[in-house]
Amino acid sequence: MRNIRSVASQSPAVVISLLALFFALGSGAGYAATTAAGPAKISFHALHLVHRWQSGAPTIATGEPAYGTSGNGIVYLSGWLSRSTPSNGANGTFTFLPRGRRPTHQEDVTLTTVGGTTAIAQITPDGGIYVFGKNAPQFTSLDGLSFAING
């Protein structure tokens, strides 16, 4: 302790500098270095539906089928859709994603359909999204579906 006091008495500028650093780190500089960026904003765009698929939004107000991204390499889908005739093969295609929003390899994901049953959606590198499932034409929800486009 005696050595610290002797240094402090000989060089008050050192002590003042150390105190300033201590308070700066305790107030804002340390906090700024540890806070993470806030949630990214996702910009959504309407999906162009094909093969007689249509938006279910006017029926129960769940939202138009849409895709979005926040620039983080993930594409998000939302809304729901239906169609009046069964879907088999290519007729199960309900949209094509634009370039830059397509996965580099096929993605298979589970979707919710009418009555809590499920269907499979295949998202292909050419941008096509196909849906396969017994109840898919009656109601297919896209909410919560996401996939990576970078890899």
Side-chain angles (χ1 to χ4, degrees):
M1 194 71 165
R2 188 172 281 178
N3 288 339
I4 294 174
R5 286 184 188 161
S6 66
V7 169
S9 66
Q10 292 176 6
S11 182
V14 171
V15 173
I16 292 170
S17 298
L18 290 174
L19 286 172
L21 178 62
F22 175 78
F23 286 115
L25 290 176
S27 60
Y31 178 76
T34 60
T35 56
K41 181 174 169 48
I42 299 171
S43 177
F44 280 93
H45 309 279
L47 286 170
H48 174 73
L49 301 176
V50 297
H51 299 293
R52 294 183 300 212
W53 284 92
Q54 58 192 356
S55 169
T59 309
I60 61 171
T62 58
E64 297 287 335
Y67 72 93
T69 184
S70 62
N72 61 357
I74 305 293
V75 172
Y76 305 91
L77 299 180
S78 67
W80 80 278
L81 51 109
S82 65
R83 87 176 251 187
S84 59
T85 57
S87 57
N88 296 315
N91 289 332
T93 307
F94 63 83
T95 194
F96 288 89
L97 293 166
R99 295 188 193 286
R101 301 297 179 248
R102 301 172 178 179
T104 56
H105 59 280
Q106 180 176 308
E107 298 280 345
D108 295 334
V109 294
T110 303
L111 299 173
T112 302
T113 61
V114 70
T117 60
T118 59
I120 300 295
Q122 289 182 340
I123 307 153
T124 61
D126 71 354
I129 304 180
Y130 308 83
V131 64
F132 304 95
K134 178 181 171 187
N135 294 325
Q138 295 172 9
F139 170 92
T140 296
S141 174
L142 304 176
D143 290 336
L145 189 150
S146 63
F147 59 92
I149 56 177
N150 296 337

